[in-house]
Amino acid sequence: MNKRNNFFTRFVVAFMLVALLVGNIPTQFISAQAAFVTTTMTPYVLTTGSDADQNKARHYEYTSNGNSLVKFVVQESGCVSIKISTEKAGYIPIAIHKKADASDLPTNLKAQCTEDRGNQDTILQYMKKGTYYLKFPENTYKMDMMIYPSKSRTLKNNTFYAGYCDYNTTNTFTYKATKTGYLNFKQKPLIATSAAYKVSFYNAKGKEIMDIVCDHNTNRPIIFPVKKGQTYVMKIKTLNTDGKQYYQVRAIYTPRSKKCGTTKAKAKAIGFAKSAPGMIFAEESEKNADWYKVTNPATQPVLLTIFGHTYAGSLDFTVYNASGRKLGVYHLMPTTTVTLKYWLKNTNKKTTMPKGTYYVKVQKSKKETAGIYSFKFSKQ
């Protein structure tokens, strides 16, 4: 038995020597035998996405002998950003292994650290939370590392969040409304991209109640009314299979009560030249209506001014006279923030409106429509 073992050992050694001399020894065999971990790197996880937050990216300087490994700890799933510069210019292949001995098939990345780029490049790669092992070719490196997180989070008022999403990765934010009002979502790109994305809102039961298609080329706020005691879930996802979003988002809560009548007979009275603020919830039926009544103090031209935001359909303002005759329908469309002005017309199509009481009915055009509004009657 000992003679057999000695013979086998001598055979393996001889085989490796011959293979090394002719250059045919498999690369993965060398890696498994000779690769070893020399250092550990842990990218910083962005929180707010501010300039100060991004400046916390962890800096590492590393010299590779071409065969050593870097233990790479990803604390949160998301897109890992590695800003890399090299002493020697060139295309830098980086192998990502899941096994500490590098015996598994790696994921391969490439940094274009060429002279025309100043020997530097930025690598962006989605990685799940976990421990990896990176192999760099022989060179000296300087690297700044951070992660755009894609984890689920609880949304707090007036708090910035950094995030990442793509077609297969969804960012989820949960918000529990302690008061009735609306959230104003403001977002901006942390890395320039033209990919369109969708923001969807769900109730606590997981039913989608509204969605909005956006891109970072439009500076349009997202306004979402919320009811006291309700829990809402917001999800952000790109629309294109190759689309990616690196963004900062913040939600600002504004209190607003819903004071209106539910029928014409229960219409809420508002003063002439006084604003009537209101909102339509996404979870409301399109058959519901907000009712108001306004008294015109004299026979005169009357200007209807409408201000607001709406999504996934229009908010429709129908004006009636005291006898119930419809005088006109005016629409707040799902575009940017708008202020609309209309001269009301009487039944004879003239703009002089008789003294008396007028009724306004506000409804949404579709089931998924939501928004906020205010309107008033005035002389000018």
Side-chain angles (χ1 to χ4, degrees):
M1 180 66 74
N2 290 335
K3 289 183 179 181
R4 285 185 182 179
N5 288 341
N6 291 335
F7 172 78
F8 180 75
T9 300
R10 287 197 299 271
F11 175 79
V12 171
V13 171
F15 169 78
M16 291 180 66
L17 287 173
V18 171
L20 282 171
L21 288 172
V22 299
N24 290 330
I25 190 165
T27 303
Q28 65 268 27
F29 186 75
I30 295 176
S31 299
Q33 294 297 314
F36 58 95
V37 175
T38 58
T39 188
T40 299
M41 298 181 184
T42 305
Y44 172 71
V45 181
L46 290 172
T47 55
T48 66
S50 66
D51 290 343
D53 189 38
Q54 294 184 61
N55 288 336
K56 294 179 182 178
R58 295 211 172 101
H59 180 77
Y60 294 96
E61 296 186 11
Y62 173 64
T63 298
S64 172
N65 63 6
N67 202 40
S68 58
L69 296 174
V70 171
K71 185 178 180 180
F72 194 70
V73 181
V74 178
Q75 299 178 91
E76 296 289 349
S77 297
C79 187
V80 177
S81 169
I82 304 176
K83 185 177 181 180
I84 182 171
S85 63
T86 57
E87 187 175 277
K88 300 174 185 178
Y91 290 87
I92 310 298
I94 303 171
I96 302 177
H97 293 272
K98 292 183 178 179
K99 293 185 177 181
D101 62 0
S103 61
D104 59 316
L105 189 66
T107 298
N108 294 305
L109 304 177
K110 184 176 286 186
Q112 191 175 340
C113 297
T114 51
E115 290 184 2
D116 60 317
R117 291 174 171 240
N119 289 22
Q120 61 183 10
D121 195 8
T122 298
I123 299 171
L124 296 167
Q125 175 70 23
Y126 176 79
M127 299 178 74
K128 291 184 178 180
K129 179 179 179 181
T131 299
Y132 303 83
Y133 299 88
L134 275 54
K135 180 184 283 189
F136 294 84
E138 185 176 353
N139 209 331
T140 296
Y141 303 89
K142 293 181 180 179
M143 293 174 282
D144 294 305
M145 301 179 175
M146 60 186 180
I147 299 174
Y148 297 87
S150 58
K151 64 180 180 179
S152 299
R153 282 164 281 184
T154 299
L155 196 64
K156 296 181 181 179
N157 180 41
N158 203 18
T159 300
F160 287 100
Y161 298 91
Y164 166 82
C165 66
D166 56 33
Y167 191 74
N168 298 309
T169 307
T170 302
N171 253 194
T172 301
F173 297 89
T174 301
Y175 180 81
K176 185 171 183 179
T178 58
K179 296 180 181 179
T180 295
Y182 63 90
L183 297 175
N184 183 353
F185 290 90
K186 297 184 177 182
Q187 66 282 346
K188 72 173 185 178
L190 296 178
I191 297 178
T193 173
S194 60
Y197 62 99
K198 183 172 75 169
V199 180
S200 303
F201 293 90
Y202 298 77
N203 61 21
K205 296 180 179 179
K207 181 181 179 181
E208 184 176 318
I209 52 179
M210 189 177 83
D211 66 72
I212 306 161
V213 175
C214 310
D215 64 63
H216 286 308
N217 295 319
T218 57
N219 194 24
R220 176 187 177 192
I222 299 174
I223 304 295
F224 184 72
V226 295
K227 288 183 179 181
K228 179 180 178 180
Q230 297 296 311
T231 298
Y232 301 91
V233 176
M234 180 183 76
K235 296 183 179 182
I236 304 175
K237 182 178 181 179
T238 59
L239 296 177
N240 305 321
T241 54
D242 59 347
K244 302 180 191 312
Q245 291 291 343
Y246 313 83
Y247 61 86
Q248 180 193 66
V249 66
R250 173 175 60 154
I252 301 174
Y253 167 78
T254 300
R256 176 176 286 203
S257 58
K258 189 174 173 73
K259 297 179 180 179
C260 61
T262 54
T263 64
K264 182 182 176 183
K266 297 179 180 180
K268 170 72 175 178
I270 58 173
F272 190 82
K274 300 291 184 180
S275 293
M279 53 188 168
I280 301 289
F281 297 102
E283 53 265 50
E284 281 188 78
S285 168
E286 68 272 28
K287 296 178 182 180
N288 292 354
D290 296 350
W291 281 92
Y292 303 88
K293 60 181 179 182
V294 185
T295 299
N296 179 21
T299 299
Q300 59 186 344
V302 174
L303 183 68
L304 169 61
T305 302
I306 300 171
F307 172 82
H309 315 260
T310 184
Y311 299 93
S314 63
L315 297 185
D316 304 327
F317 296 74
T318 306
V319 180
Y320 302 87
N321 62 18
S323 62
R325 186 167 180 178
K326 182 165 67 176
L327 303 181
V329 182
Y330 307 92
H331 307 284
L332 180 63
M333 302 301 294
T335 54
T336 56
T337 303
V338 291
T339 298
L340 306 173
K341 294 185 177 184
Y342 304 98
W343 290 104
L344 296 182
K345 292 184 178 181
N346 198 3
T347 53
N348 59 8
K349 303 301 181 183
K350 294 183 178 181
T351 57
T352 301
M353 305 300 292
K355 176 181 178 180
T357 300
Y358 294 85
Y359 292 84
V360 179
K361 180 177 70 172
V362 185
Q363 280 183 298
K364 61 181 184 178
S365 62
K366 298 179 180 180
K367 183 178 181 180
E368 61 269 25
T369 302
I372 62 171
Y373 66 84
S374 65
F375 74 89
K376 69 177 181 179
F377 287 6
S378 62
K379 293 182 182 179
Q380 58 181 11

